[in-house]
Each structure stands twice: as C-alpha cells, then as structure tokens.
Amino acid sequence: MNVDIIGDIHGCLPEFQDLTNKLGYRWENGIPLHPEKRMLGFVGDLTDRGPASLKVAEIVWELVNNYKRAYYTPGNHCNKLYRFFLGNKVQITHGLETTVAEYETLYKKDKQSIRQKFIELYEQAPLYLVLDDQKLVVAHAGIKQEYIGKKHSKVKEFVLYGDITGEKHPDGSPIRRDWALHYHGNACIIYGHTPVNEPRIINNTYNIDTGAVFGGKLTALRYPEMEIVSVPSTMPYIPEKFKHFDLIGSK
Ligand code: MN
C-alpha cells in the first residue's frame, strides 16, 4: 500500500494544496487525486485556527466518503467540532471560534450540508487507523503498544489528547508524558498533536505535526518510502507553540 500521511492541517488550505501538489497529486474538481492512485492519510485536527477549516473538512469528507482515496482518524479538535455540530455545550475556544465563525457566515442549507458531512466523516472514522497488516498505525496523539487493537475510554483519551497526567503547566496547557520515548513496538506509529519545528522520529514513531497553523510547515510522511515532504506555512510564526525535545528523557 502507498499512502501519504499528512499532519495537523487546522484549516490551512493553501498549505494543503501546496503539499499535495508537491507530492504529485492533481486537483480535479477541487479534490487532490494521485495519478498512481496513492492514498492520502490524515492524522486529524483538520480544522480550527486556520483560514479555511470547513473547506478542508469538506475535501477530506469527499476523499474518504465519495472517492475512497483517503484514510482519516480524528483529533481532539475534530472531536470538539463534532460535539458542537451535535448541539452539545462546548466552549468555543482554542481555535474552534474560527471554525464556528466560518460556519455562521453560511446559508442555512450550506450549514446543514457541512454539518452532515462532518458528522458522517467523524462517526465513520476509527479511533486510530491500523493499516498494512498492522505494520502501520496512525493515531492523532500517538498510541501505546498495549492499546493497539483496543478501544476503551482510556485508549480514546490517549489517541485524542496524548499521554496526559491530568496536571497543567503554569501556562494552563496540559502536561503530557513522552510516550514515544518508551515505545518499543513493531508497528510504525504516525501521529501529530504536538507541534514540533522538525518531524520527531524516535523508536519507530513519527510526529509529523510541524505546526502549519503556527507558521511552521505542513508535513507528509510517504509510506512505505518513509520519506518526509514539507511545505512552508503562510501563517505568522509563533515560536512558543512549538515543543522542544532537546533534552531526551527530561520531559
Ligand atoms: Mn493539532
């Protein structure tokens, strides 16, 4: 199987277009398709903060649902947008406000359309993707070896939010354990969730969230080639949003 897995897009449509073009996809009727029928993969967090969240979500729905040319697993931002679309009470913060603002500008029938599409995309998606005979796992915030194949509530929390301790940093952000440092499984794990300046590759795990929405890069990992392909972001660079792993084992 040949799949190009893309990190957190967060509504960065121009970067998504640039990256897929660089990967050899051709945009037909607003949809990126590869002439050699490579698949696209999405680690989740399609929406929030960037300029075109709903368009990105709609394209991914088309690819997964109509064209069958993509795999998608949700991120924490997808989960929150899903709950918003269900009519649950969610805080319109941490970037959801930009997606909701886009949504509020739409006519009623377009609102219904994107709401239905996103609900369908989310409800059909697995908690994490297990591909290529279990040699490849794609999970938004990563996954522990012993969770692969399981889907109880702790697994759901882990794949959406990471290995959180329940404690918070002084800035209010949750403290996350460095699960990748202790991963020793055979499956290759592709994930996002924690923005890093360069893809972080350790113990057969690949963090490909290079902070496109914070002015970093949008990154893809080509599988099985294991080639990293990135394009620069058009968004302003916000250095404090990027995590550093320079002291291995210290975090
Ligand atoms: Mn994210």
Side-chain angles (χ1 to χ4, degrees), residues 8 10 45 77 140 193 209:
D8 301 38
H10 284 296
D45 282 7
H77 286 261
H140 176 64
H193 188 57
D209 179 8

Side-chain angles (χ1 to χ4, degrees), residues 94-246:
H94 298 294
L96 181 59
E97 64 278 11
T98 67
T99 307
V100 170
E102 281 181 38
Y103 181 70
E104 293 302 338
T105 66
L106 300 178
Y107 290 111
K108 194 175 172 188
K109 83 170 173 22
D110 295 328
K111 274 187 178 168
Q112 279 174 352
S113 166
I114 189 63
R115 179 178 165 274
Q116 277 170 8
K117 286 174 182 174
F118 190 80
I119 286 174
E120 184 177 18
L121 178 70
Y122 186 92
E123 289 185 347
Q124 288 181 2
L127 270 186
Y128 52 91
L129 297 159
V130 180
L131 302 170
D132 199 22
D133 251 339
Q134 304 182 37
K135 292 200 284 281
L136 173 64
V137 175
V138 181
H140 176 64
I143 190 165
K144 282 196 231 185
Q145 190 180 356
E146 61 261 40
Y147 285 172
I148 298 172
K150 305 199 172 109
K151 48 183 181 180
H152 54 75
S153 60
K154 275 196 166 170
V155 180
K156 182 174 178 181
E157 182 189 84
F158 195 102
V159 298
L160 287 180
Y161 302 99
D163 198 358
I164 51 175
T165 64
E167 295 160 290
K168 293 194 168 175
H169 290 292
D171 69 357
S173 62
I175 293 178
R176 298 171 190 168
R177 287 190 203 94
D178 190 2
W179 66 274
L181 194 60
H182 310 288
Y183 178 75
H184 297 293
N186 291 322
C188 168
I189 314 282
I190 317 293
Y191 67 107
H193 188 57
T194 302
V196 282
N197 282 300
E198 295 296 330
R200 182 180 186 233
I201 303 170
I202 178 172
N203 298 333
N204 216 10
T205 74
Y206 294 70
N207 178 0
I208 57 167
D209 179 8
T210 45
V213 81
F214 299 122
K217 299 183 279 201
L218 185 64
T219 293
L221 181 98
R222 310 202 91 161
Y223 181 92
E225 298 87 343
M226 309 313 276
E227 180 193 347
I228 297 277
V229 180
S230 299
V231 293
S233 171
T234 62
M235 304 286 286
Y237 183 59
I238 308 176
E240 62 270 25
K241 294 292 185 183
F242 292 79
K243 184 160 168 85
H244 297 274
F245 287 94
D246 40 4

